[in-house]
Amino acid sequence: MVNIKSEQIYQLEKNYRISLINSLIGYRSLNLLGTTSNDGISNLCIISSTFHLGANPPLIGLVIRPEREHNDTLRNIKATGQYTLNNILPEWYMQAHQTSASYPSGVSEFDSCGFHKQYVKDFKAPFVEESNVRIGLELREVIDLDINGTTIVIGEIVHIITEDTLIAEDGTIDHSKAKTITVAGLDTYFLPHPIGQLAYAKPGIEPHLKQNDTKANV
Amino acid sequence: MVNIKSEQIYQLEKNYRISLINSLIGYRSLNLLGTTSNDGISNLCIISSTFHLGANPPLIGLVIRPEREHNDTLRNIKATGQYTLNNILPEWYMQAHQTSASYPSGVSEFDSCGFHKQYVKDFKAPFVEESNVRIGLELREVIDLDINGTTIVIGEIVHIITEDTLIAEDGTIDHSKAKTITVAGLDTYFLPHPIGQLAYAKPGIEPHLKQNDTKANV
């Protein structure tokens, strides 16, 4: 058993600390974030800091690192007010990872990393054709954090583009069937397998599988 | 292919919409959030809205739903300034799910759901003894969101309590070895298996596995 305390964390070698801190909270939602500039130059980057903020209104938050010269994503979101989140599949996760490379401003990662743009009517931001769960969002709030210079972007879901066979009877997206992958830390990718779907928890009632779930693969 | 648009999302049956929106972004980091009141009454709840905010300073964000009478978590965090995040293992994920039940204020989910408290010197909030990746945090910022009444809580990591065998050479926590599980949506739990660890991405260089990684299980 090891207890790494605050002062020791600050003394860790930089890359070691980055890997450790990034991997602490476990698996993270993994998406390709698609945007476009007002000039029509598309941008695509892998993102693992999205979080669910609420279902009514349907809101998703995400964290964008401090603005840099070649960081077009935040600039595009602010300029157009629209962006997309697209799930990542095992067949092309390496190309998705490649979008994290520092391409110069104005170079589209769609082209550089081999992805196809999909557009829908009256929505500027490009979706990823290779994904099978695609979310279109409209910007609602930008929160700049003094504490470390990052920016929290909050958007409302205005498009959900997927296969109807991937939506279960209760509304849950079947990410197992979709083959969505996840990441822990900066660079280690995983394909999850279902353990079980549990019934709504109530005090005094033992936790149990949801009735329509016959899986219990622990 | 289906495109569910904004106005249709609002017309969906409530529980269906909640399941759909909660599951859209894919797998989420899954932890037990431990707190204590100033009177020493502990509280434990399952949380899947934590997000990585930065490694220097080491910061984690999380979302807490609108304050309710029996919601002790946010009150405890504000009162003591300290809280813990603890990973969830397959052997007891049902008990972890059970902490989401609406226990009355003052009832400890540690006792009700069968978890043991672990304390470290000079730190008030209880860790979960059953976990093998435990994070101690100190409150740095509380952001109340007008848009839906939720609260974003930002904390700095001051304790990392784990087995040293779970930390890989590069600093990454090996969640596969730890058997950390994840969730998609509200109630469907998953155990991920590694696909591969990729090298740092650079423009002009084909994406490839990190040299020390012999896995490529796609």
Side-chain angles (χ1 to χ4, degrees):
Chain A
M1 190 68 66
V2 61
N3 182 351
I4 309 172
K5 293 175 201 171
S6 195
E7 58 275 20
Q8 293 164 290
I9 294 171
Y10 280 100
Q11 285 162 12
L12 293 170
E13 188 272 323
K14 186 185 168 196
N15 289 320
Y16 186 97
R17 186 185 63 234
I18 290 174
S19 296
L20 178 65
I21 300 300
N22 267 276
S23 61
L24 271 182
I25 57 169
Y27 303 100
R28 293 148 69 173
S29 70
L30 185 65
N31 285 278
L32 283 168
L33 170 54
T35 59
T36 186
S37 70
N38 275 333
D39 299 335
I41 300 171
S42 61
N43 189 281
L44 192 64
C45 68
I46 195 165
I47 185 157
S48 59
S49 64
T50 56
F51 54 94
H52 173 76
L53 200 58
N56 187 26
L59 298 174
I60 292 174
L62 56 86
V63 179
I64 294 185
R65 290 165 58 192
E67 237 169 321
R68 290 172 297 178
E69 199 43 58
H70 58 275
N71 186 344
D72 298 320
T73 303
L74 185 56
R75 200 177 307 129
N76 289 350
I77 291 175
K78 285 179 176 173
T80 66
Q82 297 179 328
Y83 52 109
T84 71
L85 290 168
N86 310 269
N87 70 337
I88 296 177
L89 306 187
E91 290 74 23
W92 41 265
Y93 83 102
M94 285 198 181
Q95 291 96 294
H97 181 76
Q98 183 66 15
T99 63
S100 68
S102 283
Y103 290 96
S105 182
V107 172
S108 172
E109 292 83 2
F110 274 95
D111 305 330
S112 304
C113 304
F115 292 103
H116 294 90
K117 294 184 276 276
Q118 180 188 31
Y119 287 100
V120 300
K121 196 166 170 288
D122 298 330
F123 196 78
K124 286 180 194 163
F127 294 87
V128 175
E129 199 176 287
E130 284 77 5
S131 300
N132 56 16
V133 181
R134 311 175 194 89
I135 314 166
L137 298 117
E138 274 181 5
L139 180 63
R140 288 290 174 266
E141 205 162 327
V142 173
I143 302 169
D144 291 316
L145 295 177
D146 288 338
I147 198 165
N148 70 346
T150 57
T151 301
I152 293 177
V153 171
I154 295 173
E156 177 171 341
I157 300 163
V158 295
H159 286 286
I160 299 169
I161 304 176
T162 186
E163 311 283 345
D164 35 17
T165 57
L166 295 181
I167 307 179
E169 211 175 313
D170 68 355
T172 306
I173 297 281
D174 188 338
H175 283 286
S176 184
K177 199 192 269 185
K179 293 202 173 166
T180 303
I181 69 166
T182 177
V183 70
L186 292 163
D187 52 17
T188 316
Y189 295 89
F190 295 82
L191 186 60
H193 298 284
I195 298 174
Q197 183 174 22
L198 299 188
Y200 190 81
K202 291 177 184 166
I205 295 177
E206 285 291 306
H208 58 280
L209 290 171
K210 212 167 175 176
Q211 251 176 345
N212 61 6
D213 191 345
T214 53
K215 296 184 285 278
N217 306 319
V218 176
Chain B
M1 192 69 65
V2 59
N3 181 351
I4 308 172
K5 294 177 200 168
S6 195
E7 58 275 20
Q8 294 164 292
I9 294 171
Y10 279 100
Q11 285 162 11
L12 294 170
E13 188 272 325
K14 186 184 167 196
N15 289 319
Y16 186 97
R17 185 185 64 232
I18 290 174
S19 295
L20 177 65
I21 301 301
N22 267 276
S23 62
L24 271 182
I25 58 170
Y27 303 100
R28 295 148 68 173
S29 71
L30 185 65
N31 285 277
L32 283 168
L33 170 55
T35 58
T36 186
S37 70
N38 275 332
D39 299 335
I41 300 170
S42 61
N43 188 282
L44 193 66
C45 68
I46 195 165
I47 185 158
S48 59
S49 64
T50 56
F51 54 95
H52 173 77
L53 200 59
N56 188 26
L59 298 175
I60 292 175
L62 56 86
V63 179
I64 294 187
R65 289 164 58 190
E67 237 170 318
R68 289 171 298 176
E69 199 42 58
H70 59 275
N71 185 345
D72 297 320
T73 304
L74 186 56
R75 200 178 308 130
N76 289 351
I77 291 176
K78 286 178 176 173
T80 66
Q82 297 179 329
Y83 52 108
T84 71
L85 289 167
N86 311 268
N87 69 337
I88 296 177
L89 306 186
E91 291 74 22
W92 42 265
Y93 82 102
M94 284 197 182
Q95 291 95 295
H97 180 75
Q98 184 65 15
T99 64
S100 68
S102 282
Y103 289 97
S105 182
V107 171
S108 171
E109 292 83 2
F110 274 96
D111 305 329
S112 304
C113 305
F115 292 103
H116 293 90
K117 294 184 276 277
Q118 181 188 32
Y119 287 99
V120 300
K121 198 169 169 288
D122 299 330
F123 196 78
K124 287 178 194 163
F127 294 87
V128 175
E129 201 178 287
E130 284 77 5
S131 300
N132 56 16
V133 181
R134 310 173 196 89
I135 314 166
L137 297 118
E138 274 180 5
L139 179 64
R140 288 289 174 264
E141 205 162 328
V142 173
I143 302 169
D144 291 315
L145 295 177
D146 289 337
I147 199 166
N148 69 347
T150 57
T151 302
I152 294 177
V153 171
I154 296 173
E156 178 170 341
I157 299 162
V158 295
H159 286 286
I160 299 170
I161 304 176
T162 186
E163 311 284 344
D164 35 16
T165 56
L166 295 181
I167 307 179
E169 210 174 315
D170 67 355
T172 305
I173 297 282
D174 188 338
H175 283 285
S176 184
K177 200 193 269 185
K179 294 203 174 165
T180 303
I181 69 166
T182 177
V183 70
L186 292 164
D187 51 18
T188 314
Y189 295 89
F190 295 81
L191 187 61
H193 298 284
I195 297 174
Q197 184 174 22
L198 299 188
Y200 190 82
K202 289 176 186 167
I205 296 177
E206 285 291 305
H208 57 280
L209 290 172
K210 213 167 174 176
Q211 250 174 348
N212 60 6
D213 190 344
T214 52
K215 294 183 287 278
N217 305 319
V218 178

